[in-house]
Amino acid sequence: MTRIALTLSILLLLIACKTPEARKPVRKLSGSFINESISRNKKLAAYEEAKIQRIIDTDSTHQYISSTNGFWYYYTKKDTISTVTPKFGDVVNFNYDVSKLDGTIIYHQSEIDTITYAIDKEELFFGLREGLKLMKAGEVVTFLFPSYQAYGYYGDDHKIGTNVPLITEVTLHRITKEN
């Protein structure tokens, strides 16, 4: 009986002490997820920009301006005298409406209190942050933002969903220069 146990122990020891084999690497292209994501986002941006361009092409009542930041806008009320626009740290007071591209209102000015915002010092979605820098006190401007300029992939956790391009009408009431 001890001879059998000894033989089994030696046999088990030999099997257990086998030289480990090298694992073969899983072949996966580096950055493939990122490349797929970039491709998907480019297609989405092109689709949204084409929708916005169709709106612009069919609207003969407004003169649209293409911003260097990737959104479009037109003036409903324009100040042609003042040259003062907000800069970093200046405080602005404004109201705005938010709609989908089809005109469905998401937020109305009556739902959103007048906002006091320090330029580039507080949270605000990118397109609106850049759009405010183009405005003068008293102006009313309508912006068309692709989703990547607005709330993008995450939405706003309330009424704006994932990848929703927006139309935003902004009324800038006051600019207070930073001291």
Side-chain angles (χ1 to χ4, degrees):
M1 176 102 161
T2 56
R3 197 176 268 227
I4 295 173
L6 183 60
T7 307
L8 283 175
S9 298
I10 293 173
L11 186 59
L12 184 61
L13 188 61
L14 289 173
I15 293 172
C17 292
K18 179 180 164 191
T19 307
E21 291 182 22
R23 291 179 22 198
K24 295 184 180 176
V26 176
R27 180 165 161 79
K28 188 142 186 140
L29 296 176
S30 165
S32 62
F33 173 77
I34 292 172
N35 291 337
E36 290 170 14
S37 180
I38 290 169
S39 174
R40 186 174 49 251
N41 288 338
K42 283 182 178 179
K43 288 177 188 172
L44 177 63
Y47 172 74
E48 291 176 358
E49 289 171 6
K51 283 176 74 172
I52 290 171
Q53 194 59 54
R54 281 193 296 278
I55 291 170
I56 292 169
D57 292 344
T58 58
D59 184 357
S60 60
T61 59
H62 300 105
Q63 183 176 353
Y64 289 84
I65 302 165
S66 177
S67 78
T68 57
N69 291 310
F71 57 85
W72 297 261
Y73 62 101
Y74 65 85
Y75 289 89
T76 303
K77 183 178 178 187
K78 184 174 173 96
D79 181 345
T80 57
I81 298 169
S82 176
T83 59
V84 178
T85 58
K87 306 287 184 239
F88 178 84
D90 294 345
V91 176
V92 295
N93 295 81
F94 67 97
N95 289 90
Y96 69 109
D97 290 327
V98 179
S99 306
K100 294 180 180 179
L101 291 183
D102 66 5
T104 305
I105 294 177
I106 300 171
Y107 294 109
H108 191 272
Q109 285 186 17
S110 62
E111 295 177 67
I112 306 170
D113 290 334
T114 298
I115 295 175
T116 300
Y117 168 70
I119 298 290
D120 291 336
K121 288 188 169 184
E122 297 174 346
E123 290 292 317
L124 195 63
F125 71 85
F126 179 79
L128 186 53
R129 190 171 61 226
E130 295 303 312
L132 285 167
K133 294 176 192 176
L134 301 172
M135 296 180 70
K136 300 171 194 161
E139 290 186 329
V140 179
V141 178
T142 300
F143 297 97
L144 286 78
F145 299 116
S147 65
Y148 63 88
Q149 295 284 336
Y151 289 93
Y153 178 76
Y154 296 103
D156 75 342
D157 296 330
H158 299 287
K159 294 182 178 181
I160 300 173
T162 299
N163 298 323
V164 177
L166 301 175
I167 297 175
T168 305
E169 183 181 76
V170 180
T171 303
L172 182 58
H173 302 294
R174 184 173 54 249
I175 301 170
T176 306
K177 290 299 196 180
E178 182 182 46
N179 293 334

